[in-house]
Amino acid sequence: MKVFKFALIALFAGLIVSCSSSSNGGSSTSGTYIKFKVNGTQSNMVDPSTVTSLMGSISGAETVGQSIRSIFFTIPKNPTVGAHNITDASGSDLTAYSVDYMFGDVSVTATSGTYTITSIGAEYMEGTFSFTGEDAGVNYAVTEGTFRAYKPTSN
């Protein structure tokens, strides 16, 4: 299941990078972004994608050398303002907030952290995040995360 999940995320990240004209640090055409540090290294992703199905998802990607760095948040379809615990919940919990981070061969599913939504407007939502996880025995800390993205829509 984990292999399928990461394959899906990698495919989605590839689509984002190939469709975004500003994936290499250019300016965002919509004012949307995802910014964060991983173990102290800054990442700036512009024009993240928002998708709504049974749950909402917000994802971003950027090309770094020959590798793609991506982040994929799964959130409820109707998110609320406030602090929410990030868990490694399975896809069956439609109220969970979870996140996956990938860079090259590194695949991290957050095991703990916080996803704080500070505002939800007519089109956009904004907030902050931080989380920790591990891959192959190496710990990863994502800090100073901020985002502005289109909000999921409930149909």
Side-chain angles (χ1 to χ4, degrees):
M1 179 68 178
K2 187 173 182 179
V3 172
F4 174 75
K5 184 176 182 181
F6 286 116
L8 183 62
I9 292 168
L11 174 66
F12 193 66
L15 289 172
I16 292 169
V17 170
S18 66
C19 294
S20 175
S21 62
S22 57
S23 64
N24 290 317
S27 62
S28 171
T29 57
S30 65
T32 59
Y33 59 86
I34 301 174
K35 299 177 184 180
F36 56 95
K37 290 184 178 180
V38 178
N39 293 349
T41 301
Q42 183 68 45
S43 182
N44 299 307
M45 300 175 181
V46 295
D47 295 328
S49 177
T50 302
V51 176
T52 307
S53 60
L54 291 178
M55 294 188 71
S57 65
I58 297 172
S59 59
E62 65 182 348
T63 303
V64 179
Q66 297 295 316
S67 297
I68 295 174
R69 179 186 335 256
S70 63
I71 194 163
F72 185 86
F73 296 94
T74 303
I75 62 175
K77 190 165 38 172
N78 295 306
T80 58
V81 171
H84 308 280
N85 289 330
I86 293 174
T87 67
D88 59 352
S90 68
S92 62
D93 184 354
L94 299 181
T95 63
Y97 289 77
S98 63
V99 61
D100 293 292
Y101 167 78
M102 293 177 56
F103 183 49
D105 293 334
V106 172
S107 298
V108 177
T109 296
T111 54
S112 66
T114 305
Y115 188 83
T116 303
I117 299 172
T118 56
S119 68
I120 299 176
E123 282 188 82
Y124 302 102
M125 55 188 279
E126 297 182 51
T128 62
F129 60 91
S130 64
F131 63 89
T132 58
E134 66 93 17
D135 178 57
V138 177
N139 292 319
Y140 292 87
V142 173
T143 60
E144 300 179 37
T146 61
F147 69 92
R148 181 173 193 261
Y150 288 103
K151 70 178 186 177
T153 58
S154 58
N155 295 328

